[in-house]
Amino acid sequence: MANVIINRGIARQYTDGQTEIEVTSDNIGAVIRELDARFPGVGQVLRTDMAVAINGEIYQHVLLEPVGPDSEVAFIPAIEGG
């Protein structure tokens, strides 16, 4: 199972404080859907307010990026800039 890391602020609000969650999904879109099914409301936040790193590499257009069973997926606050 892939290990998903969510920041503490989101975890407090949606996952009862869990910052690491194991998922069985095989791409980021499916990870978000799985998390939203388990923790209603978190999917919208993860889609719109977070950047995603898979095994330490940050992706911009991430929904179809593959996630392996030993992957580490981190949702981190998106940084806006110009």
Side-chain angles (χ1 to χ4, degrees):
M1 284 195 235
N3 185 47
V4 175
I5 300 169
I6 298 175
N7 78 27
R8 291 184 196 280
I10 303 279
R12 277 192 295 267
Q13 187 173 0
Y14 292 98
T15 66
D16 198 29
Q18 292 181 66
T19 57
E20 294 193 32
I21 302 159
E22 290 190 342
V23 298
T24 59
S25 301
D26 63 358
N27 67 51
I28 295 299
V31 167
I32 292 172
R33 286 190 301 276
E34 182 177 340
L35 291 171
D36 197 51
R38 290 167 65 181
F39 309 104
V42 75
Q44 181 64 32
V45 174
L46 297 179
R47 270 188 218 91
T48 59
D49 298 339
M50 297 282 125
V52 179
I54 303 170
N55 296 324
E57 187 174 338
I58 297 175
Y59 291 87
Q60 295 297 324
H61 304 287
V62 72
L63 290 179
L64 297 178
E65 286 297 326
V67 174
D70 297 321
S71 295
E72 179 179 85
V73 177
F75 287 92
I76 52 179
I79 299 173
E80 293 187 30

